[in-house]
């Protein structure tokens, strides 16, 4: 089946540094990638939708200068958390539409970011 | 905007029991999805439904388009089924709308 590989799975960084999270579609072309954030015991919150070759669409309240999204190819989308602060600590997960009839969307394994 | 509601929020059952999780939505949809999120955080897509019923192993998902309702059933539940089950609606490159999730715990 269609797989999205997400790296890193865990990252700890110091306040003020930047962290890049990659999502790579391994056996299909993802024209659109969704980036979510999840706080403990809460639902997924959509941050932005990235489209290959164009600017990402950010949800209301998400700072586009802080959460930089790049979707330069049909198989790779990246989320960079710039000048990270402890309040950015969260679980980030990406998802893509596969076009397959069985399950439609596939999700990355998630990245747990801790900013110290 | 589609409102997606799930019930129950939490469910604890003994191993072997038959499990049912319900999902209702307010506006007509192209597809409904059942997702499974394990404690580590990873999410697995279980089913995508637009009508009728689908089965995979011990999991069965049904949808009633007229009533705007879907159910996820687990037969012969096992502790490894313990996870959060999430209902979501959406299709293609449109945004998914998620239910609040059902936390399932199966006790050996």
């Amino acid at each position: 089946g269609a797989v999205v590989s997400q790296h890193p799975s865990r990252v700890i960084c110091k306040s003020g540094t930047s962290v890049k999270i990659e999502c790579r579609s391994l056996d299909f072309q993802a024209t659109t990638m969704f980036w979510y954030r999840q706080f403990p015991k809460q639902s997924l919150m959509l941050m932005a939708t990235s489209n290959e070759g164009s600017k990402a669409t950010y949800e209301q309240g998400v700072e586009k200068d802080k959460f930089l999204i790049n979707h330069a190819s049909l198989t790779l989308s990246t989320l960079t958390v710039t000048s990270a602060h402890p309040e950015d600590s969260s679980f980030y997960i990406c998802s893509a539409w596969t076009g397959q009839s069985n399950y439609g969307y596939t999700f990355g394994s998630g990245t747990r970011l801790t900013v110290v | 905007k589609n409102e997606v509601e799930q019930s129950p929020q939490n469910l604890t059952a003994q191993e072997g029991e038959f499990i049912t999780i319900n999902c209702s939505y307010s506006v007509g949809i192209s597809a409904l999805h059942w997702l499974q999120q394990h404690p580590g955080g990873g999410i697995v897509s279980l089913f995508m439904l637009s009508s009728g019923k689908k089965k995979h192993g011990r999991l069965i998902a049904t949808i009633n388009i007229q009533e705007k309702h879907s159910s996820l059933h687990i037969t012969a539940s096992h502790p490894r089924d313990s996870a959060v089950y999430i209902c979501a609606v959406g299709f293609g490159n449109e945004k998914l709308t998620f239910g609040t999730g059902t936390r399932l715990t199966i006790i050996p």
Side-chain angles (χ1 to χ4, degrees):
Chain A
V3 174
V4 168
S5 175
Q6 183 170 347
H7 294 281
S9 56
R10 288 180 180 271
V11 58
I12 301 173
C13 71
K14 291 185 177 180
S15 288
T17 62
S18 295
V19 173
K20 181 185 282 190
I21 301 169
E22 288 190 353
C23 276
R24 198 177 292 272
S25 57
L26 298 185
D27 46 6
F28 71 103
Q29 293 184 331
T31 55
T32 301
M33 193 76 76
F34 301 95
W35 287 95
Y36 297 94
R37 182 174 183 176
Q38 187 179 36
F39 292 104
K41 301 203 173 180
Q42 292 190 22
S43 188
L44 293 166
M45 181 187 77
L46 181 65
M47 299 175 66
T49 304
S50 78
N51 297 292
E52 185 267 335
S54 62
K55 289 184 179 180
T57 303
Y58 289 82
E59 295 300 299
Q60 194 170 9
V62 177
E63 298 176 61
K64 59 182 179 183
D65 294 332
K66 181 166 187 62
F67 298 99
L68 298 179
I69 290 173
N70 185 281
H71 197 151
S73 78
L74 288 170
T75 59
L76 178 64
S77 178
T78 61
L79 166 67
T80 301
V81 183
T82 63
S83 187
H85 287 277
E87 57 264 31
D88 299 325
S89 298
S90 190
F91 185 71
Y92 295 87
I93 191 165
C94 61
S95 174
W97 172 254
T98 67
Q100 297 189 9
S101 61
N102 286 341
Y103 47 76
Y105 297 91
T106 187
F107 290 79
S109 53
T111 297
R112 194 161 303 279
L113 170 64
T114 304
V115 185
V116 298
Chain B
K1 184 188 171 192
N2 218 336
E3 303 289 337
V4 180
E5 293 187 358
Q6 273 184 250
S7 63
Q9 287 194 353
N10 294 283
L11 177 58
T12 300
Q14 292 291 133
E15 182 174 355
E17 286 190 38
F18 181 81
I19 303 298
T20 296
I21 299 170
N22 296 298
C23 176
S24 61
Y25 52 93
S26 58
V27 179
I29 59 169
S30 298
L32 182 141
H33 307 263
W34 282 102
L35 312 172
Q36 179 191 54
Q37 185 170 30
H38 276 280
I43 293 175
V44 174
S45 291
L46 299 175
F47 295 104
M48 179 174 70
L49 294 162
S50 54
S51 65
K53 175 181 174 178
K54 285 190 176 180
K55 183 176 189 292
H56 187 259
R58 294 180 294 106
L59 301 177
I60 303 165
T62 63
I63 189 167
N64 185 317
I65 298 296
Q66 286 73 32
E67 294 186 3
K68 296 185 178 63
H69 181 269
S70 176
S71 293
L72 176 68
H73 304 287
I74 305 174
T75 62
S77 60
H78 190 276
R80 64 174 175 267
D81 297 326
S82 298
V84 176
Y85 291 84
I86 304 166
C87 167
V89 297
F91 187 82
N93 292 327
E94 67 185 41
K95 295 188 281 189
L96 283 172
T97 301
F98 296 93
T100 50
T102 295
R103 187 172 300 274
L104 174 66
T105 304
I106 304 297
I107 298 170

